[in-house]
């Protein structure tokens, strides 16, 4: 079952902007609904620039998008891509790097040519990478569509709590929550200290921003976001008020 609504919480101490919200019963169906929304955008915006997150949450979306392409329902090669973020110091050979995850889950299976995508190289100088990715975004006007997850600490990409709010791509010191969570991607503890990311401000310029969350562990941070959290504490709140923001949740993430 899919439920749709404005998502504002009644009785909050201050007025939180209503967020367009879709809630589905189960995480697998969430992926279907989000993939269909992404495919619709791509069909309508040939040549547009798409920014995709590399966390665990959207992985089933990418599988579904590849299946939709195989069924002739979308051409994923009709748009351009920009990577959302990367761990500084990690490359394709490192399990859990954003490059490895997205190449194996999406760019490879979808057959996206190298000249249609620009993702951060975690092994290169991070500031030079930021400048290069900024140029790529500027060359395509702006990000048209982005699919994001939300971290347990409220981050989007590597826009961590307390990180400066600035234009363009950013080099960020990772906070302790992100370092602790990183073990699930790497399969082991690695001494990651920094990340590179498209800034929250650049993401907020996208026409369409899909933010997805699943599972009970995300319920508290989703509730804080919907209550109108301070963006300095919950960076995803920098998206609040964006007319193109659409929150996609499963029942568990909605339950906070
Ligand atoms: P997850 O990551 O999808 O693996 O939970 C989300 C994020 O940290 O942005």
């Amino acid at each position: 079952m899919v439920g749709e609504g404005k998502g504002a919480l009644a009785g909050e101490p201050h007025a939180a902007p209503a967020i367009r919200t879709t809630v589905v019963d189960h995480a697998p169906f969430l992926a279907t609904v989000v993939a269909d929304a992404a495919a619709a955008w791509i069909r309508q915006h040939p040549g547009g620039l798409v920014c995709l997150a590399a966390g665990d949450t959207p992985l089933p979306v990418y599988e579904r998008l590849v299946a939709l392409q195989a069924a002739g329902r979308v051409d994923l090669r009709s748009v351009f891509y920009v990577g959302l973020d990367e761990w500084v110091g990690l490359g394709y050979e490192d399990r859990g790097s954003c490059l490895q995850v997205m190449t194996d889950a999406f760019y490879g299976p979808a057959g996206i040519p190298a000249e249609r995508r620009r993702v951060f190289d975690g092994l290169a100088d991070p500031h030079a990478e930021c400048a290069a990715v900024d140029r790529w975004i500027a060359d395509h006007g702006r990000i048209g569509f982005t699919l994001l997850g939300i971290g347990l600490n409220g981050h989007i990409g590597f826009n961590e709590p307390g990180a400066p709010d600035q234009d363009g791509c950013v080099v960020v010191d990772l906070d302790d929550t992100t370092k602790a969570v990183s073990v699930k991607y790497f399969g082991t503890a690695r001494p990651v200290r920094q990340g590179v990311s498209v800034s929250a401000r650049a993401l907020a310029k996208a026409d369409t921003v899909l933010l997805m969350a699943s599972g009970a562990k995300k319920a508290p941070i989703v509730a804080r976001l919907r209550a109108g959290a301070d963006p300095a504490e919950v960076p995803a709140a920098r998206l609040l008020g964006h007319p193109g923001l659409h929150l996609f949740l499963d029942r568990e993430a909605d339950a906070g």
Side-chain angles (χ1 to χ4, degrees), residues 114-164:
E115 64 272 17
R116 288 220 159 227
R117 54 188 147 111
R118 179 64 170 89
V119 298
F120 290 101
D121 178 355
L123 301 176
D125 173 74
H127 296 283
E129 277 300 288
C130 283
V133 172
D134 282 340
R135 274 196 302 278
W136 175 259
I137 294 172
D139 286 349
H140 294 86
R142 68 181 181 289
I143 294 167
F145 173 97
T146 184
L147 172 58
L148 305 171
I150 182 169
L152 292 175
N153 62 0
H155 76 191
I156 45 172
F158 280 140
N159 294 280
E160 300 281 47

Side-chain angles (χ1 to χ4, degrees), residues 35-56:
D36 287 351
W41 192 92
I42 290 169
R43 276 194 298 270
Q44 289 160 15
H45 298 86
L49 184 61
V50 171
C51 181
L52 300 176
D56 285 345

Side-chain angles (χ1 to χ4, degrees), residues 53-59 84-85 148-153 155-158 178 181 184-185 212 214 217-218:
D56 285 345
T57 312
L59 289 182
L84 173 63
D85 55 7
L148 305 171
I150 182 169
L152 292 175
N153 62 0
H155 76 191
I156 45 172
F158 280 140
T178 300
V181 168
K184 76 168 176 163
Y185 306 118
M212 65 184 296
S214 62
K217 68 181 186 304
K218 293 288 174 71

Side-chain angles (χ1 to χ4, degrees), residues 15-206:
I19 312 174
R20 185 179 177 203
T21 304
T22 297
V23 181
V24 306
D25 282 342
H26 303 293
F29 189 40
L30 185 65
T32 303
V33 173
V34 173
D36 287 351
W41 192 92
I42 290 169
R43 276 194 298 270
Q44 289 160 15
H45 298 86
L49 184 61
V50 171
C51 181
L52 300 176
D56 285 345
T57 312
L59 289 182
V61 176
Y62 304 141
E63 194 179 338
R64 166 85 179 162
L65 279 172
V66 170
L68 287 174
Q69 177 168 256
R73 292 179 51 195
V74 64
D75 179 4
L76 301 171
R77 292 160 288 216
S78 65
V79 291
F80 293 87
Y81 296 89
V82 61
L84 173 63
D85 55 7
E86 186 56 280
W87 309 90
V88 171
L90 301 194
Y92 179 77
E93 300 303 327
D94 296 294
R95 174 181 161 187
S97 69
C98 299
L99 176 60
Q100 184 254 312
V101 169
M102 290 305 291
T103 302
D104 294 356
F106 183 72
Y107 297 125
I112 309 300
E115 64 272 17
R116 288 220 159 227
R117 54 188 147 111
R118 179 64 170 89
V119 298
F120 290 101
D121 178 355
L123 301 176
D125 173 74
H127 296 283
E129 277 300 288
C130 283
V133 172
D134 282 340
R135 274 196 302 278
W136 175 259
I137 294 172
D139 286 349
H140 294 86
R142 68 181 181 289
I143 294 167
F145 173 97
T146 184
L147 172 58
L148 305 171
I150 182 169
L152 292 175
N153 62 0
H155 76 191
I156 45 172
F158 280 140
N159 294 280
E160 300 281 47
D165 177 29
Q166 62 184 69
D167 283 323
C169 296
V170 287
V171 182
V172 183
D173 291 335
L174 300 174
D175 84 4
D176 289 343
T177 303
T178 300
K179 289 178 191 168
V181 168
S182 73
V183 176
K184 76 168 176 163
Y185 306 118
F186 307 145
T188 182
R190 300 197 59 163
V192 284
R193 289 190 313 110
Q194 288 188 309
V196 271
S197 183
V198 176
S199 70
R201 204 185 280 183
L203 293 168
K205 288 182 185 155

